[in-house]
Amino acid sequence: MARREPVYEVVQVLARSILRAQGLRVDWRGLENIPAEGGVLLAVNHTSYVDFLEAGLAARRAGRWPRYMLKAELKKIRIMAFLIKHCGAIGVDREHGAESYHEAVTALEAGEAVIVYPEATISRSFEIKEFKSGAARMSIEAGVPIVPVIVWGTQRIWSKGTQRRIGRHRFPVVVQAGPALLPDGDDPVALTARLRAAMSETLADAQRGFPAPAGEDWVPARLGGGAPPPDEAARLEEEEFALRKAKREAERRADGG
């Protein structure tokens, strides 16, 4: 299969090398909750630009070759287009998502593992945001479980609204998989609510005992940190989206569209 091409092998080796080069101390927890075979959705929280590395390596440690659901815009970057093609990633077009949705369902029905980010975008508050319903709908249609996966600590390295700390360090990171959720006759709304509750619970477990220096930009406000609280984070996100939309419209007008 495409995801087992040599390119994918090289990518996973590079991912491990990056973690070693940074000196990250990763605590892998609950990976036995990721089934060794059969279709499964790995629902990952989104707090940084680099949490995809830990999410993918968690799946590999569980014996799976995951397929990521990634923003289709990344295909505009030549190296990313190459990696997406050879690692079996599924490009998600937010305005026309039916094609990527059906590709993911087909992969799940074929017994593959798919990584999805229910929050869609990075959480500036580092709390669990509201979820899109896509993960629940895919789980129900394909008849596969969803495993909540929390990556905690990578927001200290590189995220929105934080100081970039790329380089060698010994930052702790927790990657924790919670118990799998089965559709069990739920509708998408109910399953989405169950998933969000499970991920919030798993996040709380991952944060227990984790360093939380007061005032630090990567620590949630709830824990005494300097990150914006959820309502302020939502306002910042709305402003960002509005600016992006205005930029796209200006580009279309400039192109005569």
Side-chain angles (χ1 to χ4, degrees), residues 36-214:
E37 57 185 23
V40 60
L41 271 169
L42 305 180
V44 185
N45 68 320
H46 203 4
T47 59
S48 79
Y49 292 111
V50 294
D51 50 28
F52 70 94
L53 292 173
E54 287 77 10
L57 289 175
R60 284 301 301 126
R61 291 174 75 93
R64 305 306 299 262
W65 290 90
R67 296 183 65 179
Y68 287 89
M69 297 194 76
L70 300 173
K71 293 187 296 184
E73 302 96 278
L74 292 173
K75 291 183 178 180
K76 297 177 182 178
I77 305 171
R78 184 173 297 180
I79 183 61
M80 289 304 299
F82 177 82
L83 293 175
I84 287 171
K85 176 181 178 181
H86 291 280
C87 295
I90 300 168
V92 180
D93 185 328
R94 290 175 185 164
E95 293 182 0
H96 308 284
E99 184 176 339
S100 56
Y101 173 88
H102 291 301
E103 184 178 353
V105 169
T106 299
L108 292 167
E109 291 175 336
E112 298 194 62
V114 174
I115 289 178
V116 64
Y117 290 88
E119 296 166 293
T121 58
I122 288 176
S123 170
R124 289 175 178 267
S125 68
F126 309 127
E127 303 284 8
I128 300 295
K129 291 167 47 180
E130 293 300 318
F131 282 4
K132 305 296 183 182
S133 65
R137 290 187 289 111
M138 287 187 285
S139 170
I140 292 168
E141 185 169 342
V144 301
I146 309 177
V147 175
V149 178
I150 292 296
V151 179
W152 185 248
T154 58
Q155 74 274 16
R156 187 176 184 178
I157 302 168
W158 187 15
S159 188
K160 290 183 178 181
T162 65
Q163 177 187 349
R164 192 180 303 183
R165 303 173 178 91
I166 294 177
R168 182 165 179 79
H169 42 64
R170 289 185 56 77
F171 293 159
V173 171
V174 171
V175 181
Q176 182 165 339
L181 304 178
L182 296 173
D184 287 339
D186 281 341
D187 61 29
V189 173
L191 184 54
T192 297
R194 279 210 292 139
L195 175 60
R196 188 169 183 271
M199 291 188 71
S200 296
E201 182 178 346
T202 306
L203 174 62
D205 286 344
Q207 290 172 330
R208 229 167 253 122
F210 197 93

Side-chain angles (χ1 to χ4, degrees), residues 1-10 65 85-87:
M1 291 181 171
R3 65 191 184 285
R4 288 195 174 116
E5 287 187 3
V7 172
Y8 205 162
E9 296 278 2
V10 171
W65 290 90
K85 176 181 178 181
H86 291 280
C87 295

